[in-house]
Amino acid sequence: MHIIDRRPDPGGKSLANRQRFMRRARALVKQAVREASGSRKIREIDGGGAVTIPADGVHEPSFHAGRDGGMRDYVLPGNKKFVSGDRIERPKQGGGSGSEGSADGEGEDNFRFVLSRDEFLDLFLEDLELPNLAKRQVMGDAIEKRHPAGFKTSGPPSSLSVGRTLRRSLSRRIALKRPNPAELEAMRRELDELETAGGDASRIAALKAEIERQERRAKVIPFIDPVDLRYRRIEVTPEPIARAAMFCLMDVSASMDEHMKDLAKRFFSLLYLFLTRRYKQVEIVFIRHTHEAKEVDEETFFHSRESGGTVISSALIEMARIAKERYPADQWNIYAAQASDGDNLSSDNARSLAILRETILPMAQYYAYLQVGRGDYDREDGVFARQETTLWRAYQELIRPNLPMAMRKVNDRRDIYPVFRELFERRDEAAEAR
Amino acid sequence: MARARKTTPIAAPAAPMTGEPLFTGRDWDFGLLDRVYGAIQEIAESELKLDIYPNQIEVITSEQMLDAYASTGMPLFYKHWSFGKHFVRNETLYRKGWQGLAYEIVINSSPCIVYIMEENSATMQTLVLAHAAFGHNHFFKNNYCFKQWTDATSILDYLAFAKKFVASCEDRYGQENVEQILDAAHALMSHGVHRYPGKHALDLRSEQRRQEERQAFAEQHFSDLWRTLPKTASRKKRDGEDERRRQMLGLPEENILYFLEKNAPRLAGWQRELIRIVRQIAQYFYPQRQTKVMNEGCATFTHYRLMSRLHERGKITDGSFLEFLHSHTSVVFQPEYDDQRYSGINPYALGFAMMEDIERIALNPTPEDRAFFPDFAGCGDGYGVLRDAWANYRDESFILQFLSPAVIRKQKLFRLVDDSEDPEIVVASIHDERGYKAVRQSLSRQFDVGRQDPDIQVADVDLAGDRKLILHHNVVDGITLDGKDAAKVLHHLANLWGYDVKLLEIEEGETIAAHDGSPSRAFR
């Protein structure tokens, strides 16, 4: 009997099969992910978790008997009151069929399983791309990278280096003069020949003694000795990575209601998720503003209310200041997303544009402006096109190709994800530029 | 396979040291496993006279157990999405706490590989060793189904070959093309076994050699010139067709995969080899399907006996024994038919009850037993009768031969007849004098794999016309196929065959249903 400890073996043996399954069910899973994310809270969105796909898509068919018809005959345990000849009403079909199922429970209509966080996000953010990602991959704090680094004398069986072990075994065997089988065989043959030919008796005796000596040697010196064992060594080294700073700018003046803030929050959350997928380190700066801007923590950012007018340039100045102090553009990838209802003090528009054009856009990788509206607004008075807000009109003047800026309007929660996709969709011209 | 193994040599069986428990707490280490194994081995060999393959005990984590689940317990298997599907399913059930994991997995190979989980307590490890390393192991080595159909010494090498071959095909022909063949072959897996022994014994090692030789030959003799030769006249082609038709005279053939592997006109060599691999693996697992009750019964009976002896000898404490009994009783629990937990007959319970009863009949029979089992009632050698049963029966014949009235009464078995033309279900027989034999016969049929799988055969090929493949399903008792699934399988079948297929369901010479399938696209 052998006992083998398999616990140190590398896990994840099923990973390849799992990936094959995911590829197979990709379209279904993608659909399910989109649906699941709709019903989820924004903070839970990156948690992975269970999704349900229709079992039909991944069904494995086989020839087997149908459920209905024919004459069936079966034995059951636990008779209580029946005697032979009793007649029992047939249990109702239809409702009962679900519980019967096949042996492994695949009779159910749905196949439910858990996605890992990465799988979930991969599907969720598929086909999206960060604009200008390749432009500035700058050095930041370290991540760990594993790479082979020589050999060591102990380790899990799976990391045994067979080649290296045998090489050491060979040199040890040569050094200790372990007889090799061919030599032994040659000596035996010679002995045989001498014996059959009736050769020199002393020579025969000497040969016999030598063979015996060599055979003992072969036994004493093992083919592989524990000292020969060598295992592959993996070293972990830090590796520089790219990092990003994300600025969330939001108007919190009284005109922004809870619904609008919720929309903005959802958008920011998606952006954050997306950035964490691409950068190992993502810093978030929350700047809220009325007529004056302030950096705050997340809680305050989303939940406390302030009153005052709306001066967007205040937030832009604050952002430029923080970026200059803490996130110099040669060391950080800077992304900014601004959410507002579009009501700006009209005298401020020119100033905002100037700051954007001269300070922020040159240092930012991407600047997204999201104009949030009331859910019921646009849809009902579709006929009367709503007048564009002052800020929207101002920004529109700014927009031109090759400028890392985009703007969209969102009125309803369900628009967030499509709008987000639209903003970050992989573009062909971007591919050409690279 | 050059895998390093941390091995622990077995200690010589310890001298009986009555009254000294092997362990007291729940913790265990490798030394303890050794001593426990030695103690079990001593009883298994001297008292039960078990004959086993050498054992290889592998300690794994629960994560690794989940991995093992996905590939039907085998330590290595080719890659396919369906294993991934089972993996995510089991993982979900396990993580949500809806399903526990098995304490062990045992593989019919030589050496016999027994996976045990590190989470098990010392008592559970003892139980698992007795159950798998001795019970299942003995059954694998001695039962005729396994002897006839499986090659325990080379299954692992064959699986390694299969894995490598599938991977190389994926590299060469693309994952999707390989998947298409495997999907189709998997759908036909239950109809890819030989049910009757052929001319020569199975030898998986030569299988592997055969494939390698064939490939080497093809590579050696490859000459690009052949491709440039002008196509030969149609006459020669007709010769080939004739030959092919002669080949097909082997019909009817119930091993559909075998038929396709040999005769499907449009498959390439590697595609045939893939089908062959699926077929060989189906054949390897076939005995396990035929001997569920016996295999589990044998293992359960063995562990129960070994654990009781260990306890009697004072090798395990009363506390451990109670822990064992708790687990044992839940294993052999048979919910009654109207219980919510009822999900069919529990093979552990049935097998264990029957085997206990066989021993009782051999040692201490009632007049009724003597009437039913004149051959061995009161013969005095319970283990001998059991060993004979373990070696020479499968579920169907075992139940037909050994299910005693006592067990039928104990489990209160009764037989229903459900005729779709009758508005009501009839209780045909119950556990009484008149019913024993009918119940026994019906239960035996219920465990007959030959009846569980519909009897489908390749009947004919229309070679002169559109090459349509005709299959027949011999309908028994008016039970037809599940139409939706049948259509899907036929689609797979048509993909392998390359042309249309038709399945006729025939009862007493009359066609009562028909299904068709067409290939989605021809293979390259």
Side-chain angles (χ1 to χ4, degrees):
Chain A
M1 192 233 355
H2 290 326
I3 301 178
I4 302 176
D5 191 354
R6 285 262 179 242
R7 288 171 296 180
D9 281 12
K13 245 166 111 179
S14 292
L15 193 65
N17 287 327
R18 192 189 167 106
Q19 283 165 346
R20 277 171 165 74
F21 168 68
M22 295 297 290
R23 179 172 55 71
R24 173 96 180 187
R26 190 170 191 92
L28 294 168
V29 177
K30 211 151 89 181
Q31 182 72 22
V33 162
R34 301 267 154 87
E35 276 165 20
S37 58
S39 62
R40 256 179 219 195
K41 291 203 186 106
I42 209 84
R43 278 176 195 285
E44 291 164 8
I45 212 162
D46 66 340
V51 293
T52 307
I53 61 174
D56 222 29
V58 289
H59 177 59
E60 296 163 83
S62 67
F63 282 133
H64 59 88
R67 292 231 181 88
D68 311 315
M71 188 142 105
R72 285 146 209 264
D73 179 322
Y74 41 90
V75 172
L76 295 170
N79 181 20
K80 293 186 185 66
K81 54 183 187 204
F82 300 130
V83 293
S84 51
D86 275 0
R87 302 178 75 82
I88 314 165
E89 207 178 320
R90 180 169 286 129
K92 267 185 213 124
Q93 293 291 317
S97 65
S99 64
E100 259 195 17
S102 55
D104 57 352
E106 282 182 30
E108 294 163 26
D109 295 335
N110 288 320
F111 184 81
R112 189 179 164 81
F113 62 98
V114 177
L115 286 175
S116 73
R117 178 179 183 272
D118 281 349
E119 283 167 340
F120 191 91
L121 288 181
D122 271 344
L123 289 165
F124 188 67
L125 300 174
E126 201 184 44
D127 300 330
L128 298 184
E129 192 180 58
L130 274 180
N132 299 326
L133 178 68
K135 202 169 79 187
R136 270 187 274 162
Q137 290 271 0
V138 281
M139 312 297 252
D141 281 345
I143 55 158
E144 289 176 339
K145 192 176 173 178
R146 298 156 60 83
H147 58 86
F151 299 89
K152 54 184 181 173
T153 51
S154 65
S158 56
S159 67
L160 182 79
S161 164
V162 176
R164 188 55 69 117
T165 300
L166 282 177
R167 194 151 97 199
R168 291 189 54 91
S169 150
L170 180 65
S171 57
R172 182 182 48 79
R173 278 180 280 132
I174 291 171
L176 296 178
K177 299 209 176 63
R178 188 183 199 264
N180 76 34
E183 279 169 16
L184 262 175
E185 193 46 46
M187 281 199 284
R188 284 207 195 94
R189 225 179 299 117
E190 192 187 341
L191 179 66
D192 265 4
E193 276 163 20
L194 278 174
E195 273 177 340
T196 46
D200 180 6
S202 64
R203 173 76 186 135
I204 291 178
L207 253 180
K208 272 188 176 159
E210 179 62 14
I211 289 175
E212 200 183 318
R213 203 174 70 85
Q214 293 294 357
E215 277 175 343
R216 204 170 42 219
R217 235 190 141 68
K219 258 185 222 147
V220 171
I221 303 168
F223 188 81
I224 289 192
D225 191 274
V227 303
D228 299 334
L229 295 180
R230 283 297 175 274
Y231 297 86
R232 288 185 295 277
R233 207 167 90 93
I234 305 288
E235 202 164 67
V236 178
T237 49
E239 191 177 74
I241 49 130
R243 54 188 181 178
M246 167 180 159
F247 288 86
C248 298
L249 276 55
M250 186 163 71
D251 179 5
V252 290
S253 61
S255 57
M256 287 281 283
D257 61 15
E258 279 305 313
H259 169 77
M260 291 167 157
K261 276 195 202 168
D262 180 59
L263 290 180
K265 178 179 173 184
R266 276 164 195 273
F267 185 81
F268 291 142
S269 306
L270 276 180
L271 183 61
Y272 175 65
L273 258 187
F274 191 37
L275 288 174
T276 51
R277 295 292 291 162
R278 299 299 150 111
Y279 295 101
K280 286 283 177 236
Q281 192 189 352
V282 178
E283 302 258 320
I284 311 185
V285 180
F286 296 102
I287 300 173
R288 54 179 216 158
H289 70 95
T290 51
H291 58 275
E292 57 184 21
K294 209 157 118 199
E295 187 189 355
V296 293
D297 60 16
E298 188 178 353
E299 193 61 25
T300 326
F301 186 72
F302 286 118
H303 296 297
S304 84
R305 229 164 210 265
E306 252 178 49
S307 55
T310 310
V311 181
I312 292 215
S313 62
S314 66
L316 296 176
I317 292 168
E318 178 75 359
M319 174 183 162
R321 184 185 66 78
I322 294 173
K324 201 170 157 198
E325 271 173 25
R326 305 209 306 253
Y327 307 105
D330 57 341
Q331 286 173 35
W332 290 80
N333 294 295
I334 292 174
Y335 292 85
Q338 181 193 358
S340 165
D341 58 358
D343 294 332
N344 194 20
L345 200 65
S346 34
S347 62
D348 183 53
N349 280 347
R351 198 163 165 230
S352 301
L353 285 188
I355 298 171
L356 255 183
R357 192 185 292 129
E358 279 148 33
T359 320
I360 293 185
L361 288 180
M363 72 179 178
Q365 303 293 104
Y366 199 56
Y367 190 94
Y369 171 60
L370 186 76
Q371 182 160 309
V372 289
R374 279 180 194 81
D376 47 2
Y377 219 123
D378 268 2
R379 287 169 203 285
E380 283 177 15
D381 330 291
V383 190
F384 310 98
R386 198 182 157 209
Q387 214 182 0
E388 301 294 359
T389 61
T390 52
L391 191 62
W392 181 269
R393 266 180 286 153
Y395 276 1
Q396 225 159 17
E397 287 170 25
L398 204 60
I399 294 281
R400 65 180 64 91
N402 299 326
L403 200 68
M405 177 165 171
M407 49 201 281
R408 287 288 184 285
K409 282 185 221 168
V410 175
N411 291 308
D412 195 90
R413 199 177 284 177
R414 65 175 158 252
D415 296 337
I416 289 282
Y417 185 61
V419 161
F420 183 79
R421 287 193 74 83
E422 218 179 301
L423 280 177
F424 290 99
E425 210 149 26
R426 191 166 287 153
R427 286 189 188 85
D428 285 340
E429 61 264 26
E432 278 162 30
R434 265 183 284 127
Chain B
M1 284 195 311
R3 238 189 316 189
R5 300 192 153 151
K6 246 185 215 156
T7 57
T8 322
I10 169 129
M17 34 172 199
T18 321
E20 190 72 24
L22 288 161
F23 54 89
T24 49
R26 62 163 282 134
D27 295 339
W28 55 271
D29 54 28
F30 293 106
L32 176 67
L33 284 186
D34 244 4
R35 290 195 298 282
V36 166
Y37 187 90
I40 296 176
Q41 189 176 32
E42 207 243 308
I43 303 170
E45 278 170 4
S46 65
E47 192 179 326
L48 274 70
K49 300 201 171 54
L50 297 185
D51 166 29
I52 57 172
Y53 290 124
N55 273 303
Q56 177 171 313
I57 316 288
E58 307 202 352
V59 182
I60 59 175
T61 61
S62 54
E63 299 286 323
Q64 288 168 323
M65 183 61 102
L66 273 173
D67 280 344
Y69 261 39
S71 52
T72 51
M74 305 309 281
L76 71 178
F77 222 89
Y78 56 84
K79 300 201 179 339
H80 188 253
W81 65 269
S82 62
F83 306 132
K85 173 182 152 187
H86 293 136
F87 178 77
V88 294
R89 169 175 218 95
N90 286 321
E91 192 187 28
T92 306
L93 292 176
Y94 173 64
R95 300 232 186 277
K96 299 243 165 193
W98 292 332
Q99 175 186 292
L101 288 178
Y103 301 117
E104 44 78 25
I105 287 184
V106 55
I107 291 166
N108 167 26
S109 63
S110 176
C112 183
I113 298 178
V114 182
Y115 290 119
I116 59 180
M117 282 223 287
E118 62 169 350
E119 283 92 340
N120 296 349
S121 67
T123 311
M124 291 312 296
Q125 301 295 33
T126 314
L127 166 61
V128 160
L129 287 180
H131 182 89
F134 289 89
H136 282 305
N137 191 339
H138 172 85
F139 195 79
F140 287 148
K141 187 167 177 193
N142 293 280
N143 186 266
Y144 83 100
C145 290
F146 288 91
K147 277 187 178 170
Q148 200 164 62
W149 291 121
T150 67
D151 182 3
T153 51
S154 58
I155 180 64
L156 293 183
D157 289 346
Y158 186 71
L159 288 176
F161 154 74
K163 185 177 175 184
K164 226 172 87 189
F165 184 81
V166 172
S168 76
C169 284
E170 285 183 344
D171 285 349
R172 227 184 258 192
Y173 308 104
Q175 232 178 62
E176 261 158 49
N177 290 322
V178 171
E179 200 164 80
Q180 202 174 4
I181 298 285
L182 288 180
D183 283 356
H186 284 182
L188 291 161
M189 211 165 179
S190 58
H191 291 82
V193 290
H194 288 301
R195 285 165 214 276
Y196 307 100
K199 273 164 275 175
H200 47 82
L202 196 70
D203 178 3
L204 294 176
R205 215 162 261 152
S206 60
E207 276 295 315
Q208 183 179 345
R209 216 177 311 121
R210 187 188 55 79
Q211 205 287 328
E212 279 160 7
E213 279 168 9
R214 209 154 61 178
Q215 187 160 347
F217 181 85
E219 278 164 13
Q220 260 173 26
H221 293 78
F222 175 76
S223 167
D224 203 38
L225 275 182
W226 287 110
R227 198 174 45 75
T228 64
L229 285 184
K231 287 266 182 286
T232 38
S234 61
R235 203 184 138 197
K236 200 144 199 191
K237 214 172 175 184
R238 200 168 294 134
D239 279 355
E241 298 261 318
D242 283 343
E243 198 182 353
R244 195 171 287 151
R245 190 178 305 150
R246 277 198 297 278
Q247 261 187 352
M248 286 179 184
L249 289 180
L251 299 174
E253 170 62 62
E254 66 167 351
N255 189 336
I256 301 177
L257 284 182
Y258 175 80
F259 175 82
L260 290 171
E261 179 202 325
K262 299 296 175 204
N263 300 318
R266 301 181 68 170
L267 293 182
W270 62 273
Q271 293 171 318
R272 289 180 208 279
E273 193 62 36
L274 288 179
I275 296 178
R276 191 180 181 86
I277 285 172
V278 173
R279 189 166 71 78
Q280 299 286 13
I281 289 171
Q283 194 77 56
Y284 170 81
F285 283 118
Y286 187 54
Q288 311 214 355
R289 295 181 55 212
Q290 285 179 297
T291 55
K292 264 197 182 118
V293 171
M294 291 202 70
N295 204 340
E296 293 305 350
C298 171
T300 309
F301 180 86
T302 308
H303 82 225
Y304 187 71
R305 191 49 44 97
L306 291 171
M307 293 298 278
S308 306
R309 285 287 174 276
L310 286 175
H311 181 233
E312 280 163 25
R313 295 185 181 191
K315 297 253 166 131
I316 54 178
T317 60
D318 291 347
S320 297
F321 194 64
L322 279 177
E323 185 191 344
F324 153 69
L325 282 180
H326 174 73
S327 152
H328 174 76
T329 43
S330 54
V331 163
V332 298
F333 174 63
Q334 172 69 64
E336 299 186 337
Y337 75 98
D338 51 357
D339 194 313
Q340 280 232 311
R341 292 164 290 180
Y342 179 77
S343 62
I345 292 193
N346 177 354
Y348 293 81
L350 182 64
F352 179 66
M354 284 178 67
M355 286 166 194
E356 285 241 285
D357 206 52
I358 289 172
E359 194 191 27
R360 180 192 62 79
I361 292 168
L363 302 178
N364 190 15
T366 63
E368 179 191 53
D369 296 328
R370 285 188 193 280
F372 265 80
F373 305 103
D375 288 350
F376 69 92
C379 74
D381 180 14
Y383 292 138
V385 177
L386 281 173
R387 277 197 306 274
D388 176 60
W390 291 336
N392 298 315
Y393 292 83
R394 55 186 169 145
D395 284 354
E396 174 228 348
S397 52
F398 176 67
I399 291 171
L400 199 58
Q401 190 73 24
F402 289 103
L403 185 65
S404 66
V407 172
I408 296 178
R409 278 196 303 270
K410 209 171 101 193
Q411 304 226 354
K412 300 200 180 72
L413 299 177
F414 66 112
R415 181 169 79 101
L416 294 179
V417 172
D418 177 2
D419 187 344
S420 60
E421 297 190 349
D422 190 334
E424 287 169 324
I425 297 174
V426 178
V427 179
S429 357
I430 62 159
H431 47 97
D432 63 7
E433 207 77 19
R434 283 177 303 156
Y436 293 141
K437 288 200 171 149
V439 167
R440 187 158 83 177
Q441 192 158 18
S442 173
L443 189 64
S444 140
R445 283 214 228 157
Q446 210 165 306
F447 279 96
D448 182 357
V449 176
R451 288 178 70 93
Q452 285 167 10
D453 294 336
D455 173 13
I456 295 172
Q457 306 186 349
V458 180
D460 204 0
V461 187
D462 183 5
L463 272 188
D466 56 4
R467 296 189 171 179
K468 189 180 266 186
L469 184 70
I470 317 261
L471 295 105
H472 286 173
H473 172 216
N474 295 323
V475 178
V476 182
D477 291 338
I479 299 173
T480 52
L481 293 178
D482 179 289
K484 216 171 134 198
D485 255 24
K488 283 183 186 158
V489 181
L490 284 179
H491 178 61
H492 279 311
L493 178 55
N495 274 341
L496 292 180
W497 177 242
Y499 302 94
D500 286 1
V501 295
K502 191 176 192 68
L503 170 65
L504 301 174
E505 303 205 49
I506 295 175
E507 187 171 31
E508 288 159 7
E510 219 174 297
T511 303
I512 52 177
H515 311 271
D516 290 290
S518 322
S520 48
R521 65 180 173 90
F523 288 114
R524 279 190 294 127

